[in-house]
Amino acid sequence: MAFLDRLGEFAKNAADKANDGLEINRINSDITMQQGNITAYQRELGLYYWDKFVAGETLEQEAMDICKKIVLAQDNIVSLQAEIEKIKTDRAAEKAERAQQKQAEREQQKLAEQQALEEQEETPEFCSNCGMALTKGQKFCSNCGSTVTK
């Protein structure tokens, strides 16, 4: 019987601890919700004073200093956004310039290839031994194998 009593006591303790944990979690959730409410109220209070500042009202010196910090931060944001736009514009210009350079290189390469083809077609050479047509720059005749002389 003692075993069953201890087992019952253990189960009761486990259930109590679980219930306590649930209650603590519920209370912690309520605390977090109240902290969120406080932050929302502070934000609402700040907007109230900000609206007064924007409307041109004179506030207490500390509130005025905070509002001036906000204005300075807004000016900094505008400046930083302008920097971002400049970087984007510069990158776009560099990209366009690189594309133009690549196109010019391709055109140069194509022209060089055309000139090389034209040079090969201009004056065919012939092997002095067998009379076979040679391509420009060929060192040996592909027909008879003799050395090409110029």
Side-chain angles (χ1 to χ4, degrees):
M1 247 346 193
F3 174 74
L4 292 177
D5 289 339
R6 282 198 303 199
L7 186 60
E9 186 65 30
F10 177 76
K12 185 178 182 319
N13 285 341
D16 288 344
K17 284 184 182 181
N19 286 335
D20 289 349
L22 289 173
E23 184 66 15
I24 289 170
N25 283 341
R26 185 193 61 76
I27 293 170
N28 279 332
S29 176
D30 288 346
I31 289 170
T32 301
M33 189 169 67
Q34 291 303 319
Q35 288 171 334
N37 288 342
I38 290 170
T39 301
Y41 299 146
Q42 289 170 334
R43 187 176 303 118
E44 187 177 335
L45 179 63
L47 289 173
Y48 172 78
Y49 276 102
W50 177 253
D51 289 341
K52 286 183 170 287
F53 174 78
V54 170
E57 291 185 30
T58 303
L59 306 175
E60 297 172 7
Q61 187 58 44
E62 190 172 342
M64 290 295 287
D65 291 343
I66 292 170
C67 289
K68 288 176 184 176
K69 288 178 186 178
I70 292 171
V71 169
L72 182 62
Q74 289 174 333
D75 291 344
N76 287 337
I77 288 171
V78 169
S79 174
L80 293 169
Q81 287 171 334
E83 282 184 48
I84 288 171
E85 286 305 312
K86 183 179 182 323
I87 289 170
K88 287 180 179 179
T89 302
D90 290 349
R91 293 301 169 253
E94 288 175 9
K95 186 177 179 181
E97 185 178 332
R98 282 195 303 269
Q100 285 178 338
Q101 287 175 345
K102 284 183 180 182
Q103 181 64 28
E105 289 171 2
R106 278 189 232 116
E107 289 173 4
Q108 261 185 339
Q109 179 67 27
K110 192 181 260 186
L111 183 61
E113 289 172 0
Q114 274 182 332
Q115 288 175 345
L117 284 173
E118 288 172 2
E119 287 177 7
Q120 286 179 356
E121 293 172 359
E122 283 177 6
T123 54
E125 295 181 19
F126 298 95
C127 177
S128 58
N129 187 38
C130 69
M132 179 72 147
L134 303 170
T135 58
K136 191 161 186 106
Q138 192 172 345
K139 304 272 190 224
F140 300 96
C141 178
S142 57
N143 186 45
C144 68
S146 64
T147 304
V148 174
T149 57
K150 296 196 179 199

